[in-house]
Amino acid sequence: MMSRDEFKTIAGNGIWKQNTSLAQILGLCPLLAVTTNAVNGIMLSLATILVMAISNLAVSSLRNFIPHEIRIPVFILIVAALVTVVDLLFNANLHELYLVLGIFIPLIVTNCIVLARVEAFAAKNAPLQSTFDGIFMGVGMLWTLALLGAMRELLGAGTLFGGIDMVFPSLHPIQLLPESYPSFLLALLPPGAFILLGCMIAWKNWMDARAAVRAKRKPPMPVATAGCN
Amino acid sequence: MSSAREYSPTGMAARTAATLFVFVIIFTGLLSGAYLWTKPAIEASAAEEKMKLVDEVLPRSEYDNALLEDTLTLPATPELGLSESSTLYRARKAGQPVAVVFEAVAPDGYAGKVKLVVAVRTDGQVAGVRVTQHKETPGLGDYVEVKKDKNKARPWITQFQGMSLAQVAAHDWKVKKDGGRIDYYAGATVTPRAVTKAVLKAVKWAEANRNQLFAPPGAPQ
């Protein structure tokens, strides 16, 4: 079982301290491609939460059978197989949801967040903790991508929740700025995503620094993970 | 992992390989099982998807045959921008040809190819056009896709509906900026221009091949 403190640490690490996008700077490739609006960002994150929870659970349960030397190929095998099975099951049984989330699931296979968490957490911890770690890493990604997507579409096109009608046909995007708002293309293209993500990272560091000054002590350094895209 | 000392290097390698092999067998089995189990459901929904797309360009009331089974295989057709073979669907009512539904590609979009599905009636009239795939700039050129068009009452792409070469001369199948009669939204002309050109080419191609496309059922092709 898991103590309350342990749960709090895992949740805090996922949502803020080791936030995948802002602290670990992982998975930038799907991040840049997908966050042209908030809805896409949220959808990718939901798919990621699901995949990370399942793969962390599987790897953590099997961790005692995996020789250390070949752990990476085995992790990749497990993650890729599970993602494909999830993809097939979604396609067959939840087709409506698949049409919305489906295009994001193959994107996740290439996402190094999944492998990074499997290697850094699930391979060393019990199944329950690992599952929660996967979920909360995904939740951290969820709010980051939602915020980044919302900023990009607001600056770029003056709307909010564009594409929501693809998820819920009865809802419509909100036009926040007047129709006459000239599109700001930079925000919609990948360089705009880099610039805004940079601003968000700066904001997080500023918040952390302020909190550190207030607490009159240095915050613990985030655990460094293997760098990839 | 403490037991590693008991093995010779070759034994260690063999043991590691065997472990990896077992994992591969287990997870490949899992994959095959999931694939076989979900296959029928996935195929059924793929056919349904195709019908949904066809429904957008050609109303079901206009034909009564099993359109997905009455097909022609098109070879790579440069006139339609197709570099690979594709499938053309033939709609009939009471055995008489009504329309054909086929793919076309506009090769000169702002960001690569824009894929279309076009339905042309026997009289050469466009029954409908839809964009199925594109990489145009979000918020600018992507209004050629109905879902992204802000004008929900009369999306841009529906302008082609009902147009035919008999009513509209070929030189009018251009965006207004180029002297034609197709509207476009300010700021993005490359995409609508490419789509318009591809639709014109598709209509011309259907006209040129009408004897073959609208052959009665069973006729030699």
Side-chain angles (χ1 to χ4, degrees):
Chain A
M1 274 319 288
M2 184 160 56
S3 70
R4 217 186 140 77
D5 276 349
E6 221 177 340
F7 178 79
K8 265 189 181 164
T9 314
I10 290 173
N13 275 344
I15 293 172
W16 182 262
K17 222 190 267 170
Q18 289 189 36
N19 184 297
T20 52
S21 311
L22 300 181
Q24 303 187 56
I25 328 281
L26 287 176
L28 293 191
C29 175
L31 180 145
L32 296 178
V34 158
T35 55
T36 49
N37 62 45
V39 172
N40 278 353
I42 292 170
M43 288 300 149
L44 175 75
S45 308
L46 288 179
T48 311
I49 290 175
L50 183 73
V51 167
M52 294 212 346
I54 296 174
S55 55
N56 268 12
L57 174 64
V59 167
S60 171
S61 312
L62 294 169
R63 68 188 193 283
N64 294 330
F65 303 103
I66 304 172
H68 185 71
E69 296 77 17
I70 52 161
R71 64 189 194 287
I72 302 288
V74 174
F75 291 162
I76 292 173
L77 183 72
I78 293 174
V79 172
L82 288 178
V83 172
T84 313
V85 171
V86 167
D87 186 63
L88 287 170
L89 289 178
F90 258 87
N91 195 347
N93 300 325
L94 299 163
H95 196 72
E96 296 295 308
L97 192 59
Y98 179 77
L99 292 180
V100 179
L101 277 182
I103 45 166
F104 298 115
I105 295 177
L107 270 178
I108 297 165
V109 185
T110 62
N111 197 331
C112 55
I113 299 171
V114 181
L115 195 61
R117 285 329 281 174
V118 160
E119 158 82 359
F121 197 93
K124 295 165 194 143
N125 291 282
L128 187 66
Q129 278 85 339
S130 300
T131 312
F132 274 105
D133 180 72
I135 293 172
F136 280 105
M137 281 293 154
V139 172
M141 187 179 156
L142 178 87
W143 75 259
T144 317
L145 262 62
L147 188 60
L148 184 60
M151 290 196 298
R152 283 181 74 185
E153 70 177 309
L154 186 61
L155 288 174
T159 60
L160 207 50
F161 300 116
I164 187 98
D165 42 325
M166 277 168 67
V167 190
F168 303 107
S170 54
L171 298 178
H172 292 290
I174 307 164
Q175 186 79 37
L176 273 186
L177 299 177
E179 290 271 352
S180 57
Y181 176 71
S183 296
F184 180 48
L185 196 54
L186 178 68
L188 291 174
L189 296 175
F194 268 126
I195 294 168
L196 284 172
L197 181 69
C199 296
M200 284 177 73
I201 295 170
W203 167 70
K204 179 186 184 290
N205 287 344
W206 177 73
M207 293 280 282
D208 283 345
R210 212 177 54 159
V213 168
R214 236 177 240 172
K216 292 277 181 215
R217 62 177 171 83
K218 280 196 88 153
M221 288 297 287
V223 175
T225 38
C228 60
N229 64 357
Chain B
M1 249 149 278
S2 56
S3 62
R5 269 173 287 138
E6 297 161 24
Y7 292 89
S8 66
T10 338
M12 183 72 198
R15 186 172 153 269
T16 312
T19 315
L20 190 56
F21 184 69
V22 170
F23 272 106
V24 168
I25 294 291
I26 294 172
F27 282 93
T28 314
L30 186 69
L31 268 187
S32 325
Y35 173 76
L36 290 176
W37 189 56
T38 53
K39 201 177 168 204
I42 290 174
E43 273 172 3
S45 44
E48 204 176 294
E49 277 307 294
K50 265 187 204 161
M51 277 314 291
K52 245 188 221 164
L53 194 61
V54 171
D55 284 346
E56 285 201 33
V57 290
L58 188 68
R60 257 182 220 213
S61 55
E62 291 194 19
Y63 61 94
D64 58 7
N65 65 328
L67 173 132
L68 288 185
E69 279 143 43
D70 193 347
T71 62
L72 268 183
T73 304
L74 298 182
T77 318
E79 294 96 310
L80 296 176
L82 300 173
S83 51
E84 287 164 37
S85 70
S86 79
T87 310
L88 175 142
Y89 302 103
R90 292 186 289 191
R92 303 174 195 281
K93 187 152 201 171
Q96 289 308 306
V98 175
V100 286
V101 181
F102 55 94
E103 271 186 86
V105 172
D108 43 4
Y110 187 74
K113 292 178 176 178
V114 180
K115 291 191 179 171
L116 308 167
V117 56
V118 186
V120 180
R121 296 200 177 95
T122 38
D123 57 359
Q125 207 181 53
V126 177
V129 186
R130 285 293 180 277
V131 170
T132 54
Q133 226 186 330
H134 69 85
K135 295 193 216 79
E136 302 305 294
T137 318
L140 270 184
D142 63 350
Y143 64 82
V144 295
E145 192 187 334
V146 171
K147 270 180 198 158
K148 303 282 167 67
D149 202 325
K150 281 181 191 163
N151 184 351
K152 295 287 173 203
R154 192 175 169 278
W156 180 84
I157 196 100
T158 55
Q159 301 183 66
F160 296 105
Q161 222 156 298
M163 278 174 70
S164 70
L165 283 171
Q167 291 168 350
V168 184
H171 61 81
D172 276 337
W173 294 63
K174 282 179 193 158
V175 291
K176 282 186 175 156
K177 195 179 185 179
D178 300 339
R181 48 168 278 179
I182 303 295
D183 284 321
Y184 65 97
Y185 300 158
T189 33
V190 177
T191 317
R193 189 183 282 152
V195 172
T196 308
K197 225 159 94 184
V199 175
L200 174 63
K201 277 203 250 172
V203 172
K204 278 184 173 167
W205 174 84
E207 190 63 35
N209 296 284
R210 54 171 298 139
N211 290 338
Q212 208 189 345
L213 296 181
F214 300 112
Q221 290 159 13

